[in-house]
Structure formats: C-alpha cells, structure tokens
C-alpha cells in the first residue's frame, strides 16, 4: 500500500531544556500501532517521561499527510494518530487518495470534521475519479449515459465536451493531482 503515514514526535519539556536532554522519536509508522497506548509505550522505550517533563508532545515531522492545509503545531500527536486510525485511510488506498484529494480542495479541518462526524464513513458523499481530468470525465459521463450517435446522428461529433467539462467544475467537480473529485 502507498498510504503510509508516519510521524516524528518531540517533547516541549525536553525542547525547553535547551537541548541538554532534547528528545525526538524515530519515525513512527501508524500501521505499527493499534492505539495511542502502543505509541506511548514506544515513546517510553525511547526515554520519554510522559508523566513528567515530556508530558506535552508535539509533531516534529509528518509524512504521508497533506502538508499544505494544516498547521501541525496546533494538533497533538495523539489527536492526529486517533483521527487517522478512525478514518480508515490506513486500510484503504482509495480512502487515502480521497483524503489527499479532498485536502487539496478543502481544508484539513473540514476533513477532520467529516471524520469526527461520520468516522470511517466520512467519504460517503465524495467520489474520486482517479487519474482523470475534467475533460476525460465529461467524455466518460456523456458516453456512459447517452448514445449521442443515436440521439444526434451526424451532429454527435459536434458535442462540446470542453464546455461540458467547464460546467462540471461549477457543479462540485474539481481537478486534483489524484484525479477529479466530486463533493456532493
């Protein structure tokens, strides 16, 4: 699967010790942990004092998540981990790609609200047409639902797919780097 999400966690307490005891975890792959308690245990093994100086954690780095739509400093590592686990994006490449595409179009906060409201069913009103642009989608939709040759005869070749693609963009379809996303 390509939907690997991993995080490096740091501690404000250690950070504020002026690097005398600066701690940073290794890359923690979310797939390796069932719940936050497993992550906390890994941090303890690395020397974090979670009931003391290292109680307040922060995200040092994260990969596999959209980085243009969220300030990771404002979210706790635990919140991020639990959100990802609840969303189902680790188990489904499609959900992972939909999340990435959705966060290109909307904000991470909006995606987080969907997950908090609908959990693993957060993508129920979102469709990703992988690898397509609006023109491709317009062509496919018209030819799937209409037999232009039968309806228009020789005039079918004059159908303006480019204009139809433009109109799709007004109706909730948006191009992303993953394909066209439709938000209903």
């Amino acid at each position: 699967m390509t939907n690997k999400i991993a995080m490096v966690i740091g501690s404000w307490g250690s950070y504020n010790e002026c690097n005398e005891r600066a701690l940073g975890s290794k890359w923690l792959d979310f797939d390796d942990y069932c719940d936050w308690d497993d992550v906390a245990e890994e941090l303890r093994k690395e020397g974090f004092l979670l009931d003391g100086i290292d109680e307040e954690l922060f995200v040092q780095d994260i990969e596999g998540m959209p980085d243009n739509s969220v300030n990771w400093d404002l979210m706790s590592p635990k919140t991020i981990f639990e959100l990802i686990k609840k969303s189902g994006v680790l188990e489904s490449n499609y959900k992972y790609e939909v999340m990435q595409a959705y966060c290109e179009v909307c904000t991470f906060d909006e995606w987080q609200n969907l997950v908090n409201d609908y959990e693993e069913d957060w993508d129920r009103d979102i469709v990703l047409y992988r690898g397509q642009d609006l023109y491709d989608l317009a062509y496919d939709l018209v030819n799937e639902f209409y037999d232009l040759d039968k309806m228009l005869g020789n005039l079918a070749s004059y159908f303006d797919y480019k204009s139809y693609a433009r109109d799709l963009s007004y109706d909730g379809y948006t191009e992303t780097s993953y394909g066209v996303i439709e938000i209903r």
Side-chain angles (χ1 to χ4, degrees), residues 23-70:
L23 289 174
S25 68
K26 62 184 181 185
W27 281 102
L28 304 174
D29 185 342
F30 285 13
D31 271 336
D32 294 340
Y33 306 96
C34 293
D35 56 30
W36 181 255
D37 290 338
D38 291 345
V39 175
E41 183 59 32
E42 181 68 31
L43 294 174
R44 283 187 193 91
K45 287 179 187 175
E46 293 181 27
F48 282 74
L49 303 173
L50 297 179
D51 296 329
I53 191 171
D54 301 317
E55 187 173 11
E56 191 177 355
L57 302 172
F58 67 92
V59 177
Q60 283 185 316
D61 202 357
I62 194 163
E63 68 178 19
M65 294 293 294
D67 57 1
N68 60 342
S69 64
V70 66

Side-chain angles (χ1 to χ4, degrees), residues 24 26 33 42 78 86 93 100 104 119 140 144 156:
K26 62 184 181 185
Y33 306 96
E42 181 68 31
K78 180 179 180 181
K86 186 177 6 175
N93 284 334
Q100 295 284 355
E104 282 184 28
E119 297 188 355
D140 287 350
E144 180 179 338

Side-chain angles (χ1 to χ4, degrees), residues 77-91:
K78 180 179 180 181
T79 300
I80 296 167
F81 177 83
E82 290 176 346
L83 180 72
I84 295 305
K85 285 294 192 175
K86 186 177 6 175
S87 71
V89 299
L90 295 176
E91 292 81 35

Side-chain angles (χ1 to χ4, degrees), residues 26-164:
K26 62 184 181 185
W27 281 102
L28 304 174
D29 185 342
F30 285 13
D31 271 336
D32 294 340
Y33 306 96
C34 293
D35 56 30
W36 181 255
D37 290 338
D38 291 345
V39 175
E41 183 59 32
E42 181 68 31
L43 294 174
R44 283 187 193 91
K45 287 179 187 175
E46 293 181 27
F48 282 74
L49 303 173
L50 297 179
D51 296 329
I53 191 171
D54 301 317
E55 187 173 11
E56 191 177 355
L57 302 172
F58 67 92
V59 177
Q60 283 185 316
D61 202 357
I62 194 163
E63 68 178 19
M65 294 293 294
D67 57 1
N68 60 342
S69 64
V70 66
N71 183 351
W72 297 113
D73 295 337
L74 301 178
M75 294 184 72
S76 76
K78 180 179 180 181
T79 300
I80 296 167
F81 177 83
E82 290 176 346
L83 180 72
I84 295 305
K85 285 294 192 175
K86 186 177 6 175
S87 71
V89 299
L90 295 176
E91 292 81 35
S92 166
N93 284 334
Y94 179 75
K95 281 185 179 292
Y96 179 79
E97 290 175 2
V98 172
M99 176 207 51
Q100 295 284 355
Y102 184 86
C103 288
E104 282 184 28
V105 174
C106 301
T107 67
F108 184 83
D109 288 341
E110 290 171 298
W111 180 75
Q112 181 180 9
N113 290 337
L114 284 175
V115 173
N116 287 333
D117 290 345
Y118 303 108
E119 297 188 355
E120 202 167 317
D121 197 29
W122 62 268
D123 60 339
R124 66 186 186 162
D125 293 328
I126 304 167
V127 178
L128 177 63
Y129 301 91
R130 289 177 169 150
Q132 292 192 313
D133 62 18
L134 285 169
Y135 182 89
D136 295 335
L137 182 60
Y139 184 86
D140 287 350
L141 288 175
V142 167
N143 288 294
E144 180 179 338
F145 294 109
Y146 304 101
D147 184 351
L148 292 184
D149 288 332
K150 186 175 182 181
M151 293 171 59
L152 302 174
N154 291 339
L155 296 176
S157 62
Y158 293 100
F159 186 83
D160 190 350
Y161 292 102
K162 188 175 179 181
S163 292
Y164 183 56

Side-chain angles (χ1 to χ4, degrees), residues 173-184:
Y173 295 85
T174 307
E175 286 184 14
T176 72
S177 59
Y178 289 85
V180 175
I181 190 168
E182 175 190 10
I183 303 170
R184 297 178 185 159

